Amino acid sequence: MVTICRDGEATATIVLTKPDDGPEQRAAEEFQRIIRKMTGAILPISADPGDTTNIYLDANASGMKCDLSESRLGYDGFVLKTSGDDLLLAGRQPYSCLYAVYHLLSRHLD
């Protein structure tokens, strides 16, 4: 089980290795915004992994082996994957990580 916050305090970091105004940045900000509304915790967004749980929105940066091929996920599919205390939310297209964020929020965090 991955813990991202406890008692209104963040216990995880959203990791973007190349922060910009692109889809991954939007996904990180949306995830941060909704978690804050749900719990009061503000998850930091950083280019570097922290000493806590890391939530990666870039499959290439996480070091987690993941098949993002079109034959596996379809054109704009996504994947949610855990490795130890870390979580990967990534997909085939740059905007697919936003789909992964919404899936996690709606299906697993209610």
Side-chain angles (χ1 to χ4, degrees), residues 30-92:
E30 186 72 351
F31 189 55
Q32 182 186 55
R33 181 184 71 79
I34 293 171
I35 291 297
R36 182 177 184 190
K37 278 185 147 182
M38 292 171 67
T39 68
I42 300 173
L43 299 176
I45 299 173
S46 175
D48 300 311
D51 292 335
T52 61
T53 297
N54 294 294
I55 302 168
Y56 295 97
L57 297 182
D58 178 1
N60 297 324
S62 71
M64 293 184 198
K65 302 273 187 218
C66 193
D67 180 6
L68 298 177
S69 67
E70 188 170 354
S71 62
R72 171 113 165 93
L73 298 178
Y75 178 75
D76 57 1
F78 60 87
V79 64
L80 283 69
K81 180 178 180 178
T82 59
S83 176
D85 291 335
D86 294 336
L87 176 63
L88 170 68
L89 306 172
R92 291 261 315 129

